[in-house]
């Protein structure tokens, strides 16, 4: 592995920052202390800072030379509303909040790159270091964009990175095209007519209608959508009734739909609506159909993905890069940035959890697990990738 020496030598400081952030997790749009720490460090290293985009968002601006070319490197800063089970010294001090997705590591890796870039300006152009709030469901990326991120910081391409358990340390995964799914949620209320359970003929049973709808929806995936296209429809909650001898008025179906393609999403949503309305009608019931689109699919552009893969090969070698990694049905709001700018999102291997020592919880070392911890061995690897990506993108003519 060809890590950058000064970054490796600075690893202890980056690790201390990572652990400080881990110990003080903050939720969506509440990343005040984290943003303060990030802005303070950038300022200390002589990097001008833009604040306030997306509330707690921070952008560091490192320029050199005269080129107008610019690249964006993005990290997320928010934690999750869950209780940490680890007991090591840097475990969460904030009750019910935890860095279980490794965003503490993302923030630290980008800070490590910032420190190096501020001292060694081996590039011609501008590097925007984007520290965004609220990736976990809050759409912080979108809010930064709505508040002028790309207008204030015009960039030619933007890049993102996520730690990924199950990929070995020193390896990266990426792929051109869809890499993560669109995430959407639905809530469908079936309205019938309550009755005595022993006199069902005097009512309209919403539970039977809901069950019919639930069954029929699955045919959208197997009979309407092309078998080549990916799509998931999971009903995760069914609520109805409160007694053994009462047919309730209503039944509610709640769940999520995921796709890699917006046309497939259009198809699934419209078929779900048709099936629920017509099934209800067939039973003399009615429905309230609510479908909410959250993050769009994350789609890496081909040229920037090839570019990122080449930069990665220069660091971890051919065998360290899986340039056709299997996409996942999880979602990520970096997708919004990739709708407006070319760019690429990569997975940096977090290993199988053997970095965990005493004080770790017993659960698996998976994202969003209360025993999770970002692997500090990644800090110089990720920071080196950011720096080489920026230096190669902004190579002096
Ligand atoms: Zn997450
Ligand atoms: Zn995450």
């Amino acid at each position: 592995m060809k890590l950058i020496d000064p970054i490796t030598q600075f690893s202890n400081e980056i690790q201390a920052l990572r652990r400080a952030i881990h110990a003080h997790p903050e939720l969506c749009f509440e990343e005040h202390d984290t943003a303060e720490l990030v802005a303070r460090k950038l300022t200390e290293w002589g990097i001008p800072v833009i604040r306030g985009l997306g509330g707690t968002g921070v952008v560091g601006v490192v320029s050199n030379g005269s080129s107008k070319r610019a690249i964006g490197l993005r990290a997320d800063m928010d934690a999750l509303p869950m209780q940490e089970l680890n007991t090591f010294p840097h475990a969460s001090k904030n009750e019910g909040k935890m860095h279980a997705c490794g965003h503490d590591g993302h923030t630290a890796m980008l800070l490590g790159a910032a420190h190096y870039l501020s001292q060694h300006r081996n590039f011609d152009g501008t590097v925007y270091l984007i520290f965004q709030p609220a990736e976990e469901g809050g759409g912080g990326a979108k809010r930064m964009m709505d508040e002028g991120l790309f207008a204030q910081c015009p960039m030619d391409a933007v890049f993102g990175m996520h730690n990924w358990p199950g990929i070995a340390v020193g390896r990266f995964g990426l792929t051109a095209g869809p890499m993560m799914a669109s995430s959407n949620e639905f809530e469908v209320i079936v309205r019938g007519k309550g009755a005595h359970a022993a006199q069902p003929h005097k009512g309209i049973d919403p539970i039977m209608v809901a069950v019919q709808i639930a069954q029929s929806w699955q045919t959208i995936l197997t009979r309407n959508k092309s078998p080549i296209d990916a799509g998931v429809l999971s009903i995760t909650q069914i609520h109805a009734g409160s007694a053994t001898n009462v047919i309730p008025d209503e039944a509610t179906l709640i769940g999520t739909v995921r796709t890699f393609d917006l046309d497939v999403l259009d198809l699934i949503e419209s078929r779900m609506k048709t099936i629920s309305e017509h099934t209800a009608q067939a039973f003399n019931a009615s429905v309230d159909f609510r479908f909410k689109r959250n993050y769009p699919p994350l789609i890496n552009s081909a040229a920037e993905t090839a570019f990122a893969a080449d930069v990665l090969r220069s660091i971890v070698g051919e065998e360290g890069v899986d340039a056709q990694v299997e996409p996942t049905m999880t979602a990520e709001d970096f997708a919004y940035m990739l709708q407006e700018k070319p760019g690429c999102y990569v997975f940096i291997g977090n290993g199988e959890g053997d970095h965990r020592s005493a004080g770790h919880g017993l659960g698996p070392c998976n994202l969003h697990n209360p025993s999770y911890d970002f692997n500090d061995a990644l800090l110089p690897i990720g920071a080196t990738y950011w720096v080489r990506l920026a230096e190669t993108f902004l190579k002096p003519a």
Side-chain angles (χ1 to χ4, degrees):
M1 213 171 347
K2 292 189 186 132
L3 298 180
I4 298 172
D5 282 340
I7 288 182
T8 310
Q9 286 150 20
F10 194 63
S11 283
N12 285 345
E13 274 94 326
I14 310 175
Q15 176 174 308
L17 286 170
R18 203 283 290 179
R19 294 188 174 190
I21 297 167
H22 189 95
H24 301 96
E26 297 173 296
L27 304 183
C28 283
F29 294 120
E30 294 172 1
E31 306 88 344
H32 300 287
D33 292 348
T34 311
E36 199 55 46
L37 173 70
V38 166
R40 195 172 71 236
K41 282 291 154 190
L42 294 176
T43 306
E44 200 177 299
W45 301 332
I47 299 174
V49 164
I50 301 169
R51 302 213 41 191
L53 285 172
T56 48
V58 180
V59 182
V61 187
V62 196
S63 291
N64 194 50
S66 55
S67 168
K68 290 264 174 290
R69 274 176 65 75
I71 183 175
L73 311 177
R74 172 276 201 174
D76 39 16
M77 302 187 288
D78 59 318
L80 287 157
M82 56 191 280
Q83 187 62 38
E84 179 158 3
L85 290 185
N86 300 311
T87 55
F88 44 56
H90 65 278
S92 173
K93 307 222 178 322
N94 298 348
E95 186 78 14
K97 300 174 188 175
M98 177 187 177
H99 269 295
C101 204
H103 299 182
D104 48 340
H106 300 167
T107 301
M109 289 191 292
L110 191 53
L111 281 174
H115 178 259
Y116 179 89
L117 288 168
S118 71
Q119 296 198 334
H120 309 261
R121 303 192 184 222
N122 301 323
F123 59 89
D124 187 11
T126 300
V127 185
Y128 291 108
L129 309 154
I130 306 166
F131 296 87
Q132 76 151 74
E135 191 287 317
E136 299 285 1
K142 178 81 166 54
R143 197 168 140 198
M144 285 187 87
M145 291 163 61
D146 289 346
E147 294 180 10
L149 173 66
F150 291 142
Q152 278 188 56
C153 309
M155 57 192 81
D156 299 291
V158 65
F159 293 83
M161 167 158 55
H162 206 294
N163 72 105
W164 211 250
I167 297 180
V169 173
R171 288 175 180 265
F172 287 81
L174 68 170
T175 190
M179 183 144 146
M180 286 197 178
S182 71
S183 100
N184 316 277
E185 55 193 275
F186 59 83
E187 178 177 331
V188 176
I189 302 171
V190 180
R191 299 195 195 282
K193 195 169 119 193
H196 195 296
Q199 298 173 317
H201 57 291
K202 293 187 175 172
I204 297 168
D205 184 354
I207 294 179
M208 290 311 295
V209 181
V211 167
Q212 297 279 350
I213 291 171
Q215 302 262 29
S216 304
W217 275 348
Q218 291 304 319
T219 66
I220 301 169
L221 305 183
T222 60
R223 304 295 87 183
N224 300 137
K225 167 182 86 51
S226 159
I228 307 301
D229 293 326
V232 174
L233 190 174
S234 290
I235 299 166
T236 53
Q237 300 177 48
I238 298 183
H239 299 289
S242 57
T244 52
N245 56 357
V246 177
I247 292 171
D249 281 323
E250 290 179 4
T252 303
L253 299 162
I254 292 173
T256 184
V257 172
R258 309 271 170 132
T259 69
F260 289 131
D261 184 298
L262 289 178
D263 289 340
V264 176
L265 180 59
D266 289 342
L267 172 81
I268 294 176
E269 181 183 343
S270 86
R271 288 294 300 148
M272 284 177 73
K273 186 163 192 286
T274 303
I275 287 173
S276 13
E277 287 173 352
H278 289 257
T279 304
Q281 196 184 32
F283 291 95
N284 289 324
S286 62
V287 285
D288 279 352
F289 183 86
R290 290 180 209 140
F291 195 97
K292 181 163 168 268
R293 296 190 178 200
N294 294 326
Y295 297 169
L298 184 146
I299 298 171
N300 283 334
S301 55
E304 286 68 26
T305 304
F307 172 79
D310 279 344
V311 170
L312 287 169
R313 285 186 195 103
S314 75
I315 301 165
V316 293
E318 189 72 44
E319 64 290 345
V321 183
D322 178 357
Q324 286 179 306
V325 77
E326 185 175 75
T328 126
M329 280 282 173
T330 54
E332 161 60 80
D333 76 345
F334 185 67
Y336 289 112
M337 295 196 183
L338 291 179
Q339 284 185 321
E340 279 197 27
K341 298 282 174 187
C344 177
Y345 185 80
V346 305
F347 293 146
I348 177 170
N350 199 57
E352 302 289 349
D354 39 0
H355 64 285
R356 302 191 298 171
S357 53
H360 281 89
L362 296 176
C365 193
N366 288 333
L367 298 176
H368 293 209
N369 184 285
S371 300
Y372 195 64
D373 194 29
F374 182 88
N375 186 346
D376 283 326
L378 271 58
L379 293 168
I381 306 173
T384 293
Y385 167 59
W386 280 144
V387 167
R388 291 298 184 228
L389 193 72
E391 289 179 344
T392 314
F393 195 85
L394 303 175
K395 210 187 228 21

